[in-house]
Amino acid sequence: MSNEPRKQGGSRATQKEATGKAVLEAARAEFESVGFEAANLRAIAARAGVSAGTVLHHYGDKRELLHAALFDDLEETLRSAVAGLGTGSLETQLSELTRTVFRYYQRRPKLSRTLLKESLFADEPWARKFNAQVHGVHGAIVRLTEEASARGELRPGVDGAVFAVAYFSFFYFALISWVQGAHDSPVTLVERLVHQHLEGLRPGEKPPRRRKP
């Protein structure tokens, strides 16, 4: 049970949800400020205005709190990014997706390195949850690619699933380069890679001939 006093008004479930959100936001701020290893639950609790016991009650330990903080924030970002793509060309839609998601990473650059590591190599059940996020965006890109092909932007029969994988390869290459300090304009890099790839999928472009084994 939480040892925080219950405030007047609002149901217990509503108050629990509000406390959980406050703890997650405090955790993100603390992890960004001092890094995951140096962060401690007491400091996070102080930021959230609750006791350390309340943090443990909601999230168990520091790593579980890290995963919850990263997953929750990224889930909302990806959902909003996919929902706000609009009706432009495929290239325009993907540019908007790239910019929206990178704004999320650039808002907390120190935490981005941790997010990249944890989302790619998390243990269960978080690995499954992070993978579900990727699959959701992958499915959205497949749909956008098929719609672009139907509009005549791309050749008929372009494999949307393969194109979506290509997009992710561009995105993660740029993201890794950015967090390592090797590239200071990751969005531009992704846009150039996507543009070059799409040029080979336009109507009238002949696909490369496969070499005989």
Side-chain angles (χ1 to χ4, degrees):
M1 298 264 318
S2 169
N3 56 7
E4 297 301 312
R6 185 178 177 185
K7 297 179 180 179
Q8 295 295 322
S11 68
R12 183 180 297 275
T14 300
Q15 292 177 14
K16 182 177 181 180
E17 181 181 2
T19 299
K21 288 181 177 180
V23 170
L24 291 181
E25 189 56 39
R28 294 181 196 111
E30 186 69 10
F31 292 146
E32 172 64 20
S33 177
V34 303
F36 173 71
E37 296 300 331
N40 65 78
L41 295 182
R42 290 187 179 278
I44 292 170
R47 280 181 180 267
V50 300
S51 70
T54 296
V55 176
L56 290 172
H57 170 73
H58 278 265
Y59 297 105
D61 60 27
K62 190 170 74 168
R63 185 162 294 278
E64 285 294 305
L65 176 57
L66 171 69
H67 286 149
L70 296 176
F71 178 85
D72 181 79
D73 209 20
L74 184 58
E75 178 77 4
E76 179 58 33
T77 297
L78 295 178
R79 185 185 300 110
S80 298
V82 170
L85 289 179
T87 57
S89 68
L90 176 61
E91 191 166 351
T92 298
Q93 290 171 320
L94 293 177
S95 176
E96 183 59 31
L97 175 65
T98 303
R99 291 173 180 273
T100 299
V101 178
F102 262 107
R103 278 197 295 268
Y104 164 78
Y105 285 99
Q106 291 168 330
R107 194 167 69 246
R108 297 188 179 97
K110 293 180 181 178
L111 192 56
S112 293
R113 182 185 296 271
T114 302
L115 171 58
L116 180 60
K117 176 183 176 182
E118 293 297 331
S119 61
L120 293 177
F121 304 108
D123 296 326
E124 295 295 350
W126 293 105
R128 183 170 63 257
K129 293 181 178 182
F130 282 119
N131 286 337
Q133 290 179 333
V134 173
H135 287 310
V137 178
H138 180 275
I141 295 174
V142 171
R143 174 179 56 80
L144 294 174
T145 304
E146 292 173 347
E147 291 172 353
S149 185
R151 290 193 301 268
E153 290 181 28
L154 307 178
R155 294 194 309 270
V158 168
D159 192 325
V162 172
F163 175 74
V165 171
Y167 173 82
F168 275 108
S169 70
F170 301 151
F171 181 89
Y172 278 113
F173 175 80
L175 178 59
I176 291 170
S177 297
W178 176 70
V179 299
Q180 291 179 339
H183 204 290
D184 60 359
S185 186
V187 171
T188 301
L189 177 59
V190 175
E191 289 176 337
R192 291 179 63 185
L193 290 169
V194 168
H195 176 78
Q196 179 173 277
H197 191 75
L198 286 175
E199 285 301 293
L201 303 177
R202 307 287 188 194
E205 296 286 345
K206 294 183 178 179
R209 296 177 62 184
R210 294 183 179 180
R211 296 181 179 180
K212 296 182 179 180

